[in-house]
Amino acid sequence: MAETGGCFPAVVDLNEVDHFLLQLDHTMGQGPGRANVCTFVVTLRGHLALETLRRRIEADPAYRWLTRLRLSGGLLRRGRWREDGRAGLPALRVRLSETDEGVPPSLLATELDVRRESPLKIDLLHQGKECSRLIFTWHHALMDAHGGEFLIRHLGTGQARSPFLRQPPCPSPLSWRQRGEIAREMKTDLYETAKPPLLVLHRKERPAGALRYQVMRFSSRETRMIEGRARAHGAAFLTSAFYLAAAACALATLKRRRGDTLEDVLVPVPQDRRRRGAAGPIIGNQVSFLFYRIPAGALGDLARCTAEVVAQTRAFIRSGMTDRYLVMMGLLRYLPGPLYRALLRSPTQGEMGSCFLSDTGEILGGCKSLFGHEVLEAVHYPPNIHPPGLTFVFGRFRGALQVTLASMGGVVDVHESECLLAALRRNLLGEVGDAL
Amino acid sequence: MAAMEIQAEDIAAQLCGFLRERILAPGVPVTPDTDLSDIGVDSFALMELILFVERRYGLVLPPEALTPENLASVAALSRYCAARLPAADG
């Protein structure tokens, strides 16, 4: 049964995917830049007063509960969110900007110390009188992108109904022995799929460098053209397969430009496991992962690359990969953190993949206003795990495709990241001419 | 015994059952005529539905069959499948 507001547990165990993301956070925390933190920026028309925002959200029981959660354990023993009833609500930070030059990088670099502070923070940015931006920052071990969107819709639309907060864990119908067998098979498959050599853009001798975000937008007309090209390249309705193929070919273009040999591309892609047609749950990552390996030989041919991704998607669904992966992750979380993290890196010998990629679907679909103001724009800024230090997030806002690229300066410099986006744009739209 | 056609209505009932059991949140209504995009059936969920057709009826849908029109609703997909299924012995 779903838990809703009015029934806020004092302790919430991290699920198997939360645990995985917390371990990644630990790995990232040892490098430069912020750890496994998600940011979602919503631009509203007009001036949203800080007091209006404060009144609305601080009156919400779900928000009060969620911001009082603190992480305990997770590295050597099982991770849990515990409600700290004495904790105050996090300060809402407001900033003013005379110019409309997008989101200041400092607001996309917020760090969260979730053992001592709220795992969710909200910043309000006033840019002239024309627009206000809400910057929501949360720890990835708390919720995924869709969970974040559900929460923000709940807060911003003043729904009296309590939100669907979390799905309480249900006992596995499988015996320990069955789960062990599935995990063993999954591990074998994963080692086979992820074995080096892999196409990577980062160079081991270089430090990761600073995190940078770039957002590439397409018009509705261009988005329809891309969907048409996806069909023409054999993806049919599976447009996200075409996105992945286009991104893989763009990576190969950059690799060739460097004069390097091409290797197979490995991309872990999260897959939403929520039941469709209803909101929630909000907290707890509800994803599994699909691991695509695209052969180097296919990277020069977008249609072949797309066919490869579609064929692998069919094979993953047939073999129940998303369920099997969760079974394996469910067992692994009983391991001590250092061993878990060593196992996490071992199939790829530390490379993790060529890049990370996700398709969040329609962003804030059907939501026209939040906090009484028209929504003009909404963008996800993903965490960027290093290595590989390169993450693509595809999403559609009101039917128009947008891509956020997160990259580390030590992986691709400014010019290379622009070339990467140009190559991706050309692959998606089929523009004539060599962008590089 | 005479060959018996598999009716589109029978396929539609099976597909709606699969959606309720595997894809949709509890209580989300689905009928053969429901627009699948209105109930959050995204591309991955559609692929699961298509592979269910493959398992259940042994019918592999070629890429050219996977048009927006054929995938708009359970009824449309069922009609397409029924027209291509060989008659079964009744």
Side-chain angles (χ1 to χ4, degrees), chain A residues 337-354:
Chain A
L339 180 56
Y340 185 104
R341 290 190 292 279
L343 276 176
L344 210 60
R345 290 188 292 262
S346 101
T348 58
Q349 294 174 18
E351 302 289 9
M352 302 302 284
S354 303

Side-chain angles (χ1 to χ4, degrees), chain A residues 38-210:
Chain A
C38 306
T39 303
F40 184 53
V41 178
V42 183
T43 306
L44 304 174
R45 187 185 297 283
H47 184 91
L48 170 63
L50 178 65
E51 247 342 278
T52 308
L53 177 67
R54 193 195 310 277
R55 266 202 311 274
R56 280 281 287 275
I57 63 171
E58 291 188 354
D60 188 277
Y63 173 82
R64 289 202 303 272
W65 173 75
L66 207 145
T67 54
R68 285 179 173 140
L69 294 178
R70 301 292 181 266
L71 182 71
S72 68
L75 296 179
L76 290 173
R77 58 193 166 84
R78 193 162 186 177
R80 290 190 161 124
W81 296 108
R82 289 180 188 277
E83 185 183 12
D84 179 355
R86 294 167 304 172
L89 296 175
L92 293 173
R93 298 183 299 182
V94 63
R95 298 203 188 186
L96 292 170
S97 169
E98 293 303 314
T99 59
D100 183 9
E101 289 180 356
V103 186
S106 63
L107 288 177
L108 298 176
T110 300
E111 295 191 31
L112 298 171
D113 180 0
V114 290
R115 294 181 190 275
R116 294 173 189 82
E117 299 171 348
S118 165
L120 166 74
K121 282 185 181 171
I122 303 177
D123 292 283
L124 173 61
L125 176 66
H126 287 138
Q127 292 191 298
K129 289 180 182 169
E130 300 306 315
C131 78
S132 309
R133 289 187 205 268
L134 282 168
I135 297 108
F136 298 88
T137 307
W138 67 85
H139 198 280
H140 205 353
L142 179 73
M143 55 189 180
D144 56 31
H146 284 133
E149 283 193 33
F150 288 135
L151 176 70
I152 290 157
R153 290 166 81 113
H154 166 75
L155 295 173
T157 53
Q159 292 166 346
R161 201 162 58 89
S162 298
F164 177 6
L165 267 178
R166 75 168 189 132
Q167 187 75 52
C170 54
S172 171
L174 302 172
S175 68
W176 282 98
R177 187 176 174 165
Q178 287 170 315
R179 279 185 273 171
E181 186 60 25
I182 290 170
R184 193 185 59 76
E185 284 172 10
M186 184 69 218
K187 177 173 162 270
T188 306
D189 289 353
L190 203 52
Y191 270 75
E192 182 59 32
T193 302
K195 68 181 174 194
L198 300 172
L199 186 155
V200 291
L201 288 170
H202 74 95
R203 300 169 173 113
K204 280 184 179 145
E205 68 279 8
R206 274 201 193 179

Side-chain angles (χ1 to χ4, degrees), chain A residues 231 236-238 240 271 275-278 290 313-314 317-318 323, chain B residues 20-25 39-40 42-44 47 50-51 54 71:
Chain A
R231 281 193 292 277
F237 59 88
L238 215 57
S240 55
Q271 180 57 45
R275 292 296 188 117
R276 307 300 198 257
L290 302 174
T313 306
R314 281 176 173 262
I317 297 176
R318 281 197 190 108
D323 292 337
Chain B
R20 283 187 206 104
E21 195 181 317
R22 296 295 308 269
I23 306 290
L24 299 173
I39 51 171
D42 57 12
S43 58
F44 195 82
M47 185 58 96
I50 284 159
L51 293 180
E54 193 179 299
L71 299 171

